Amino acid sequence: MRDRKSDAGGAASGRRARGELESGVLGALWSADEPLTAGQVLERLPGDLAYTTVLTILSRLHDKGMVVRHPAGRGYAFAPVRDEASETAVRMHSLLERGSDREAVLARFVSELSQEDEQLLQRLLGDQDAGRGDDGQ
């Protein structure tokens, strides 16, 4: 019987962590100045992946609405729908929506920020308040 704990990080079995391939493919697309074909994405990824694996990940990302595809020769070139910061913000918001106690989640999040990140967040919130004006809008 296999010890599931040894496979938790994926290292012992050689398997990647859940979502690691999607993150790598998105990272390659975010770093590009133009849409990329599956072959171009494959060239930018570390390791020994199969072309079909990259094509499958791109198809899944397209099905999820995370990338768009444009005809390119006999195939497609892919581009992300959102930039990296926007995608991360969408994920963070989605996680916050799933929680039952928003205040507790936000309090824990803020309490675990580095001092630099906390100062940045305070500055950004101050900028938001200043942009709303006196009428709160």
Coordinates of all heavy atoms in Angstrom, one line a residue, residues 58-133:
L58 N -3.9 24.0 -22.4 CA -4.5 25.2 -23.1 C -5.9 25.0 -23.4 O -6.7 26.0 -23.2 CB -3.7 25.4 -24.3 CG -2.3 26.0 -24.1 CD1 -1.4 25.9 -25.4 CD2 -2.3 27.4 -23.7
S59 N -6.4 23.8 -23.8 CA -7.8 23.6 -24.1 C -8.6 23.7 -22.8 O -9.7 24.3 -22.8 CB -8.0 22.2 -24.7 OG -7.4 22.1 -25.9
R60 N -8.1 23.2 -21.7 CA -8.8 23.3 -20.4 C -8.9 24.8 -20.0 O -10.0 25.2 -19.5 CB -8.1 22.5 -19.3 CG -8.3 21.0 -19.5 CD -7.6 20.2 -18.5 NE -7.8 18.8 -18.7 CZ -7.1 17.8 -18.1 NH1 -6.2 18.2 -17.1 NH2 -7.3 16.6 -18.3
L61 N -7.8 25.5 -20.1 CA -7.8 26.9 -19.8 C -8.8 27.7 -20.6 O -9.5 28.6 -20.2 CB -6.4 27.5 -19.9 CG -5.4 27.1 -18.8 CD1 -4.0 27.5 -19.2 CD2 -5.8 27.6 -17.4
H62 N -8.9 27.3 -21.9 CA -9.9 27.9 -22.8 C -11.3 27.6 -22.4 O -12.2 28.5 -22.3 CB -9.6 27.5 -24.3 CG -10.6 28.1 -25.2 ND1 -11.7 27.4 -25.7 CD2 -10.6 29.3 -25.8 CE1 -12.4 28.2 -26.5 NE2 -11.8 29.3 -26.6
D63 N -11.6 26.4 -22.0 CA -12.9 25.9 -21.6 C -13.3 26.7 -20.3 O -14.5 27.0 -20.1 CB -12.9 24.4 -21.3 CG -12.8 23.6 -22.6 OD1 -13.0 24.2 -23.7 OD2 -12.6 22.4 -22.5
K64 N -12.3 27.0 -19.4 CA -12.6 27.7 -18.2 C -12.7 29.2 -18.4 O -13.0 30.0 -17.5 CB -11.4 27.5 -17.2 CG -11.4 26.1 -16.7 CD -10.2 26.0 -15.7 CE -10.0 24.6 -15.2 NZ -8.9 24.5 -14.2
G65 N -12.5 29.7 -19.7 CA -12.6 31.1 -20.0 C -11.3 31.9 -19.5 O -11.4 33.1 -19.4
M66 N -10.2 31.2 -19.3 CA -9.0 31.9 -18.8 C -8.1 32.4 -19.9 O -7.2 33.2 -19.7 CB -8.3 31.1 -17.8 CG -9.1 30.8 -16.6 SD -8.3 29.6 -15.4 CE -7.1 30.7 -14.7
V67 N -8.3 31.7 -21.1 CA -7.5 32.1 -22.3 C -8.4 32.2 -23.5 O -9.5 31.6 -23.5 CB -6.3 31.2 -22.6 CG1 -5.3 31.1 -21.5 CG2 -6.8 29.8 -23.0
V68 N -8.0 33.0 -24.4 CA -8.7 33.1 -25.7 C -7.8 32.5 -26.8 O -6.6 32.5 -26.6 CB -9.1 34.5 -26.1 CG1 -10.2 35.1 -25.2 CG2 -7.9 35.4 -26.1
R69 N -8.3 32.0 -27.9 CA -7.5 31.5 -28.9 C -7.8 32.1 -30.2 O -9.0 32.5 -30.5 CB -7.6 30.0 -29.0 CG -9.0 29.4 -29.3 CD -9.0 27.9 -29.2 NE -10.3 27.4 -29.6 CZ -10.8 26.3 -29.3 NH1 -10.0 25.4 -28.7 NH2 -12.0 25.9 -29.7
H70 N -6.8 32.3 -31.0 CA -6.9 32.9 -32.3 C -6.3 32.0 -33.4 O -5.3 31.3 -33.1 CB -6.1 34.2 -32.4 CG -6.3 35.2 -31.2 ND1 -7.5 36.0 -31.2 CD2 -5.6 35.4 -30.1 CE1 -7.4 36.7 -30.1 NE2 -6.4 36.3 -29.4
P71 N -7.0 31.8 -34.5 CA -6.4 31.0 -35.6 C -5.0 31.4 -35.9 O -4.6 32.5 -36.0 CB -7.3 31.2 -36.8 CG -8.6 31.7 -36.2 CD -8.2 32.5 -35.0
A72 N -4.1 30.4 -36.0 CA -2.7 30.6 -36.3 C -2.2 29.4 -37.1 O -2.0 28.3 -36.6 CB -1.8 30.7 -35.1
G73 N -2.1 29.5 -38.4 CA -1.8 28.4 -39.3 C -2.9 27.3 -39.2 O -4.0 27.6 -39.3
R74 N -2.5 26.1 -38.9 CA -3.4 25.0 -38.8 C -3.9 24.8 -37.4 O -4.7 23.9 -37.1 CB -2.8 23.7 -39.3 CG -2.5 23.8 -40.8 CD -2.0 22.5 -41.4 NE -1.3 21.6 -40.4 CZ -0.7 20.5 -40.7 NH1 -0.7 20.1 -41.9 NH2 -0.2 19.7 -39.8
G75 N -3.5 25.6 -36.5 CA -3.9 25.5 -35.1 C -4.3 26.8 -34.5 O -4.9 27.7 -35.2
Y76 N -4.0 27.1 -33.3 CA -4.3 28.3 -32.6 C -3.2 28.9 -31.8 O -2.2 28.2 -31.4 CB -5.5 28.0 -31.5 CG -6.8 27.5 -32.1 CD1 -7.1 26.2 -32.2 CD2 -7.6 28.5 -32.7 CE1 -8.3 25.8 -32.7 CE2 -8.8 28.1 -33.2 CZ -9.2 26.7 -33.2 OH -10.4 26.3 -33.7
A77 N -3.3 30.2 -31.6 CA -2.4 30.9 -30.7 C -3.2 31.3 -29.5 O -4.4 31.7 -29.7 CB -1.7 32.1 -31.4
F78 N -2.7 31.2 -28.3 CA -3.5 31.5 -27.1 C -2.9 32.7 -26.4 O -1.7 33.0 -26.4 CB -3.4 30.3 -26.2 CG -3.9 29.0 -26.8 CD1 -3.2 28.2 -27.6 CD2 -5.2 28.6 -26.5 CE1 -3.7 27.1 -28.2 CE2 -5.8 27.5 -27.0 CZ -5.0 26.7 -27.9
A79 N -3.9 33.4 -25.8 CA -3.5 34.6 -25.0 C -4.4 34.6 -23.7 O -5.6 34.2 -23.7 CB -3.8 35.9 -25.8
P80 N -3.8 35.1 -22.6 CA -4.6 35.1 -21.4 C -5.7 36.2 -21.5 O -5.6 37.2 -22.1 CB -3.6 35.5 -20.3 CG -2.5 36.1 -21.0 CD -2.5 35.6 -22.4
V81 N -6.9 35.9 -20.8 CA -8.0 36.8 -20.8 C -7.7 38.0 -19.9 O -8.0 39.2 -20.2 CB -9.3 36.1 -20.3 CG1 -10.4 37.1 -20.1 CG2 -9.7 35.1 -21.4
R82 N -7.0 37.7 -18.8 CA -6.6 38.8 -17.8 C -5.1 38.7 -17.5 O -4.5 37.7 -17.7 CB -7.4 38.5 -16.5 CG -8.9 38.8 -16.5 CD -9.5 38.5 -15.1 NE -9.6 37.1 -14.8 CZ -10.7 36.4 -15.1 NH1 -11.6 36.9 -15.8 NH2 -10.7 35.1 -14.8
D83 N -4.6 39.9 -17.1 CA -3.2 39.9 -16.7 C -3.0 39.1 -15.4 O -4.0 38.8 -14.7 CB -2.6 41.3 -16.7 CG -3.3 42.2 -15.6 OD1 -3.9 41.7 -14.6 OD2 -3.2 43.4 -15.8
E84 N -1.8 38.9 -15.0 CA -1.6 38.1 -13.8 C -2.2 38.7 -12.5 O -2.8 38.0 -11.7 CB -0.1 37.9 -13.6 CG 0.3 37.0 -12.4 CD 1.8 36.7 -12.3 OE1 2.6 37.4 -13.0 OE2 2.1 35.9 -11.5
A85 N -2.0 40.0 -12.4 CA -2.6 40.7 -11.2 C -4.1 40.6 -11.1 O -4.7 40.3 -10.1 CB -2.1 42.2 -11.1
S86 N -4.7 40.8 -12.2 CA -6.2 40.7 -12.3 C -6.7 39.2 -12.0 O -7.6 39.0 -11.3 CB -6.7 41.1 -13.7 OG -6.4 42.4 -13.9
E87 N -6.0 38.3 -12.5 CA -6.3 36.9 -12.3 C -6.2 36.5 -10.8 O -7.0 35.8 -10.2 CB -5.5 35.9 -13.2 CG -5.9 34.5 -13.0 CD -7.3 34.1 -13.4 OE1 -7.9 34.8 -14.3 OE2 -7.9 33.2 -12.7
T88 N -5.1 36.9 -10.2 CA -4.9 36.7 -8.8 C -5.9 37.3 -7.9 O -6.5 36.7 -7.0 CB -3.5 37.1 -8.4 OG1 -2.5 36.4 -9.2 CG2 -3.2 36.8 -6.9
A89 N -6.3 38.6 -8.3 CA -7.4 39.3 -7.6 C -8.7 38.6 -7.7 O -9.4 38.4 -6.7 CB -7.5 40.7 -8.0
V90 N -9.0 38.0 -8.8 CA -10.2 37.3 -9.0 C -10.2 36.0 -8.2 O -11.2 35.7 -7.5 CB -10.4 36.9 -10.5 CG1 -11.5 35.8 -10.7 CG2 -10.8 38.1 -11.4
R91 N -9.1 35.3 -8.1 CA -9.0 34.1 -7.3 C -9.2 34.5 -5.8 O -9.8 33.8 -5.0 CB -7.7 33.4 -7.5 CG -7.6 32.8 -8.9 CD -6.3 32.1 -9.0 NE -6.1 31.6 -10.4 CZ -5.1 30.9 -10.8 NH1 -4.1 30.7 -10.0 NH2 -5.0 30.5 -12.0
M92 N -8.5 35.6 -5.4 CA -8.6 36.0 -3.9 C -10.1 36.3 -3.6 O -10.6 35.9 -2.6 CB -7.7 37.2 -3.7 CG -6.2 36.8 -3.7 SD -5.1 38.2 -3.7 CE -5.4 38.8 -2.1
H93 N -10.7 37.0 -4.5 CA -12.1 37.4 -4.2 C -13.0 36.2 -4.2 O -13.9 36.1 -3.3 CB -12.6 38.4 -5.3 CG -14.0 38.9 -5.1 ND1 -14.2 39.9 -4.1 CD2 -15.1 38.6 -5.6 CE1 -15.5 40.1 -4.1 NE2 -16.1 39.4 -5.0
S94 N -12.8 35.2 -5.1 CA -13.5 34.0 -5.1 C -13.4 33.2 -3.8 O -14.4 32.7 -3.2 CB -13.1 33.1 -6.3 OG -13.8 31.9 -6.2
L95 N -12.1 33.1 -3.3 CA -11.9 32.5 -2.0 C -12.6 33.2 -0.8 O -13.2 32.5 0.1 CB -10.4 32.4 -1.7 CG -9.6 31.4 -2.6 CD1 -8.1 31.5 -2.4 CD2 -10.1 29.9 -2.3
L96 N -12.6 34.5 -0.9 CA -13.2 35.3 0.2 C -14.7 35.0 0.2 O -15.4 34.9 1.2 CB -12.9 36.8 0.0 CG -13.5 37.7 1.1 CD1 -12.9 37.4 2.4 CD2 -13.1 39.1 0.7
E97 N -15.3 35.0 -1.0 CA -16.8 34.7 -1.2 C -17.2 33.4 -0.6 O -18.3 33.2 -0.1 CB -17.2 34.8 -2.6 CG -17.1 36.2 -3.2 CD -18.1 37.1 -2.6 OE1 -19.3 36.7 -2.4 OE2 -17.8 38.3 -2.2
R98 N -16.3 32.4 -0.6 CA -16.6 31.0 -0.2 C -16.7 30.9 1.3 O -17.3 30.0 1.9 CB -15.6 30.0 -0.7 CG -15.9 29.7 -2.2 CD -15.0 28.6 -2.6 NE -14.3 28.9 -3.8 CZ -13.2 28.4 -4.2 NH1 -12.6 27.5 -3.5 NH2 -12.6 28.8 -5.3
G99 N -15.9 31.8 2.0 CA -15.9 31.7 3.5 C -17.2 32.2 4.2 O -17.9 32.9 3.6
S100 N -17.4 31.6 5.4 CA -18.6 32.0 6.1 C -18.4 33.2 7.0 O -19.4 33.8 7.4 CB -19.1 30.8 6.9 OG -18.1 30.4 7.8
D101 N -17.2 33.6 7.3 CA -16.9 34.7 8.2 C -15.9 35.6 7.5 O -14.7 35.5 7.7 CB -16.4 34.2 9.5 CG -16.3 35.3 10.6 OD1 -16.3 36.5 10.2 OD2 -16.1 34.9 11.7
R102 N -16.4 36.5 6.7 CA -15.5 37.4 5.9 C -14.6 38.2 6.9 O -13.4 38.4 6.6 CB -16.3 38.4 5.1 CG -17.1 37.8 4.0 CD -18.0 38.8 3.3 NE -17.2 39.7 2.5 CZ -17.0 39.6 1.2 NH1 -17.5 38.5 0.5 NH2 -16.3 40.4 0.5
E103 N -15.1 38.7 8.0 CA -14.3 39.5 8.9 C -13.1 38.7 9.4 O -12.0 39.2 9.5 CB -15.1 40.0 10.1 CG -14.3 40.9 11.0 CD -15.2 41.5 12.1 OE1 -16.4 41.5 12.0 OE2 -14.6 42.1 13.0
A104 N -13.4 37.4 9.8 CA -12.3 36.6 10.3 C -11.2 36.3 9.2 O -10.0 36.3 9.5 CB -12.9 35.3 10.9
V105 N -11.7 36.0 8.0 CA -10.8 35.8 6.9 C -9.9 37.0 6.7 O -8.7 36.9 6.6 CB -11.5 35.3 5.7 CG1 -10.6 35.2 4.5 CG2 -12.2 34.0 5.9
L106 N -10.5 38.1 6.5 CA -9.8 39.4 6.3 C -8.8 39.7 7.4 O -7.7 40.1 7.2 CB -10.7 40.5 6.0 CG -11.4 40.5 4.6 CD1 -12.5 41.5 4.5 CD2 -10.4 40.6 3.5
A107 N -9.3 39.5 8.7 CA -8.5 39.8 9.8 C -7.2 38.9 9.8 O -6.1 39.4 10.1 CB -9.2 39.7 11.1
R108 N -7.4 37.6 9.5 CA -6.3 36.7 9.5 C -5.3 37.1 8.4 O -4.1 37.0 8.5 CB -6.8 35.3 9.4 CG -5.8 34.2 9.2 CD -4.9 34.1 10.5 NE -5.7 33.8 11.7 CZ -6.0 32.6 12.1 NH1 -5.6 31.5 11.5 NH2 -6.7 32.5 13.2
F109 N -5.9 37.4 7.2 CA -5.1 37.8 6.1 C -4.2 39.0 6.4 O -3.0 38.9 6.2 CB -6.0 38.1 4.9 CG -5.2 38.6 3.6 CD1 -4.5 37.7 2.9 CD2 -5.2 39.9 3.3 CE1 -3.8 38.1 1.7 CE2 -4.5 40.3 2.2 CZ -3.8 39.4 1.4
V110 N -4.8 40.0 6.9 CA -4.1 41.2 7.3 C -3.0 40.9 8.4 O -1.9 41.4 8.3 CB -5.0 42.4 7.7 CG1 -4.3 43.5 8.3 CG2 -5.9 42.8 6.5
S111 N -3.4 40.1 9.4 CA -2.4 39.9 10.5 C -1.2 39.1 10.0 O -0.2 39.1 10.6 CB -3.1 39.1 11.6 OG -3.4 37.7 11.2
E112 N -1.3 38.4 8.9 CA -0.2 37.6 8.4 C 0.6 38.3 7.3 O 1.5 37.8 6.7 CB -0.7 36.3 7.9 CG -1.2 35.4 9.1 CD -1.7 34.1 8.7 OE1 -1.5 33.6 7.5 OE2 -2.3 33.4 9.5
L113 N 0.3 39.6 7.0 CA 1.0 40.4 6.0 C 2.3 40.8 6.5 O 2.5 41.0 7.7 CB 0.2 41.6 5.6 CG -1.0 41.4 4.7 CD1 -1.8 42.7 4.5 CD2 -0.7 40.8 3.4
S114 N 3.3 40.9 5.7 CA 4.6 41.5 6.1 C 4.3 43.0 6.4 O 3.3 43.6 5.9 CB 5.6 41.4 5.0 OG 5.3 42.2 3.9
Q115 N 5.2 43.6 7.1 CA 5.1 45.1 7.4 C 5.0 45.9 6.1 O 4.2 46.8 5.9 CB 6.2 45.6 8.3 CG 5.9 47.0 8.7 CD 6.8 47.4 9.9 OE1 7.6 46.6 10.4 NE2 6.6 48.6 10.4
E116 N 5.8 45.5 5.1 CA 5.8 46.2 3.8 C 4.5 46.1 3.1 O 3.9 47.0 2.6 CB 7.0 45.7 2.9 CG 8.3 46.0 3.4 CD 8.8 45.0 4.5 OE1 8.3 43.9 4.6 OE2 9.7 45.4 5.2
D117 N 3.9 44.8 3.1 CA 2.7 44.6 2.4 C 1.5 45.3 3.2 O 0.6 45.8 2.5 CB 2.4 43.1 2.3 CG 3.2 42.4 1.2 OD1 3.7 43.2 0.4 OD2 3.3 41.2 1.2
E118 N 1.6 45.3 4.5 CA 0.6 46.0 5.3 C 0.6 47.5 5.0 O -0.5 48.1 4.8 CB 0.8 45.8 6.8 CG -0.3 46.4 7.6 CD -0.1 46.1 9.1 OE1 0.6 45.1 9.4 OE2 -0.8 46.8 9.9
Q119 N 1.8 48.1 4.9 CA 1.9 49.5 4.5 C 1.4 49.8 3.1 O 0.7 50.8 2.9 CB 3.3 50.0 4.7 CG 3.8 50.1 6.1 CD 5.3 50.3 6.2 OE1 6.0 50.3 5.3 NE2 5.7 50.5 7.5
L120 N 1.7 48.9 2.2 CA 1.2 49.0 0.8 C -0.4 49.0 0.8 O -1.0 49.8 0.2 CB 1.8 47.9 0.0 CG 1.3 47.9 -1.5 CD1 1.5 49.2 -2.2 CD2 1.9 46.7 -2.2
L121 N -0.9 48.0 1.5 CA -2.4 47.9 1.6 C -3.0 49.1 2.2 O -4.0 49.6 1.7 CB -2.8 46.6 2.4 CG -4.3 46.3 2.5 CD1 -4.9 46.2 1.1 CD2 -4.5 45.1 3.3
Q122 N -2.4 49.7 3.2 CA -3.0 50.9 3.8 C -2.9 52.1 2.8 O -3.9 52.8 2.7 CB -2.2 51.3 5.1 CG -2.5 50.4 6.3 CD -1.6 50.6 7.5 OE1 -0.6 51.3 7.4 NE2 -2.0 50.1 8.6
R123 N -1.8 52.2 2.1 CA -1.7 53.2 1.1 C -2.7 53.1 0.0 O -3.4 54.0 -0.4 CB -0.3 53.2 0.5 CG -0.1 54.4 -0.5 CD 1.3 54.4 -1.1 NE 1.7 53.2 -1.8 CZ 1.3 52.9 -3.0 NH1 0.5 53.7 -3.7 NH2 1.7 51.7 -3.6
L124 N -2.9 51.8 -0.5 CA -3.9 51.6 -1.5 C -5.3 51.9 -1.1 O -6.1 52.4 -1.8 CB -3.8 50.1 -2.0 CG -2.5 49.8 -2.8 CD1 -2.4 48.3 -3.0 CD2 -2.5 50.5 -4.1
L125 N -5.6 51.5 0.2 CA -7.0 51.8 0.7 C -7.1 53.3 0.9 O -8.2 53.8 0.6 CB -7.2 51.1 2.1 CG -7.3 49.6 2.0 CD1 -7.3 48.9 3.4 CD2 -8.6 49.2 1.2
G126 N -6.1 54.0 1.3 CA -6.2 55.5 1.4 C -6.4 56.1 0.0 O -7.2 57.1 -0.1
D127 N -5.8 55.6 -1.0 CA -6.0 56.1 -2.4 C -7.4 55.8 -2.8 O -8.0 56.7 -3.5 CB -5.0 55.4 -3.4 CG -3.6 55.8 -3.2 OD1 -3.3 56.8 -2.4 OD2 -2.7 55.2 -3.8
Q128 N -8.0 54.7 -2.4 CA -9.4 54.4 -2.8 C -10.3 55.4 -2.1 O -11.3 55.9 -2.7 CB -9.8 53.0 -2.3 CG -9.2 51.9 -3.2 CD -10.0 51.7 -4.4 OE1 -11.2 51.7 -4.5 NE2 -9.2 51.5 -5.5
D129 N -10.1 55.6 -0.8 CA -10.9 56.6 -0.1 C -10.8 58.0 -0.7 O -11.8 58.7 -0.8 CB -10.5 56.6 1.4 CG -11.0 55.4 2.1 OD1 -11.8 54.6 1.6 OD2 -10.4 55.1 3.2
A130 N -9.6 58.4 -1.1 CA -9.4 59.7 -1.6 C -10.1 59.9 -3.0 O -10.6 60.9 -3.3 CB -7.9 60.0 -1.8
G131 N -10.2 58.8 -3.7 CA -10.9 58.8 -5.0 C -12.4 58.8 -5.0 O -13.0 59.2 -5.9
R132 N -12.9 58.5 -3.8 CA -14.4 58.5 -3.7 C -15.0 59.9 -3.4 O -16.1 60.1 -3.6 CB -14.8 57.5 -2.6 CG -14.5 56.1 -2.9 CD -15.1 55.2 -1.9 NE -14.8 53.8 -2.3 CZ -14.5 52.9 -1.5 NH1 -14.4 53.1 -0.2 NH2 -14.3 51.7 -1.9
G133 N -14.1 60.8 -2.9 CA -14.6 62.1 -2.6 C -15.4 62.2 -1.3 O -15.6 61.2 -0.6

